[in-house]
Amino acid sequence: MKHELITDAVLVSNYIKGDESALSELITKHKQKIYSFIYSKVYDRDITEDIFQDTFIKVIRTLRLGKYNEEGKFLPWVMRIAHNLVIDHFRKNNRMPKFSNTGEFSIFSVLSDSSLDAEKGMIKEQIESDLRRLIEELPEEQKAVLVMRMYNDMSFKEISEKTGVSINTALGRMRYALINLRKVIEEKNIILTN
Amino acid sequence: MAKLYSECPQKNDNLNPKEETVNFLLNYSKALSVIQCNKWKFEALLN
């Protein structure tokens, strides 16, 4: 183990000094571990290939720019870079593979549709239209503040300037608008959750 | 009996990057040049 660590450190140092074959040795030595690690997360050969390439591009740039300072911990450092790139990949795609523990492989555990399905879409529309009707019932002043805040995304400062009242009054109207909405929702037993 | 396709896929031990990928990295490294100017370091890809 110690021998391996020293060798990596020497190879890194040789590479920084300009020995290109040291990089080749480092890649050959660790490629399987790094590639398998990435593949175990993304389960896709092409994506694994891309992430593996990006990982080493980052490694090469860091080493060449002299920013590497973890001598003796080359592999964990590369693994960390690969891990971060895997996370970036999932963030970009906005999905994480989920595996149920039943032992059976289900394609739906890997494939997911982030958009709402027809039923959920209808429920969402229904909720939004119910809410709009409830807002219509509010006193004019409260309704104006709530619409400006929630639908137009205005700050209370902007609302107070537009309506010509103080910020505190605008805040108060918002508070009463929410209290009144809750009251109506509770009284009429309206369910506004998906 | 019908063939079951729902079983776990066999473990693939041959998990290595493609040769082109490794070659690309080695060529990228050779082409990458770091130019130092006072305190600044610039990267340049010289193919």
Side-chain angles (χ1 to χ4, degrees), chain A residues 51-65:
Chain A
I51 296 178
F52 180 85
Q53 187 174 300
D54 288 348
T55 303
F56 270 95
I57 285 178
K58 213 158 194 177
V59 167
I60 291 166
R61 289 183 58 218
T62 310
L63 293 177
R64 294 289 287 271
L65 286 166

Side-chain angles (χ1 to χ4, degrees), chain A residues 8 27 30 43 56 132 164 193:
Chain A
D8 274 355
I27 294 178
H30 299 301
Y43 290 103
F56 270 95
R132 266 195 292 270
T193 47

Side-chain angles (χ1 to χ4, degrees), chain A residues 15 20 49 61 64-65, chain B residues 18 21 29 32 41 43:
Chain A
Y15 175 64
E20 291 290 336
E49 210 76 36
R61 289 183 58 218
R64 294 289 287 271
L65 286 166
Chain B
K18 285 182 197 156
T21 310
S29 166
L32 183 71
K41 279 180 178 174
E43 289 171 52

Side-chain angles (χ1 to χ4, degrees), chain B residues 14-25:
Chain B
N14 183 28
L15 281 172
N16 269 315
K18 285 182 197 156
E19 215 179 307
E20 301 105 84
T21 310
V22 176
N23 284 339
F24 168 83
L25 289 166

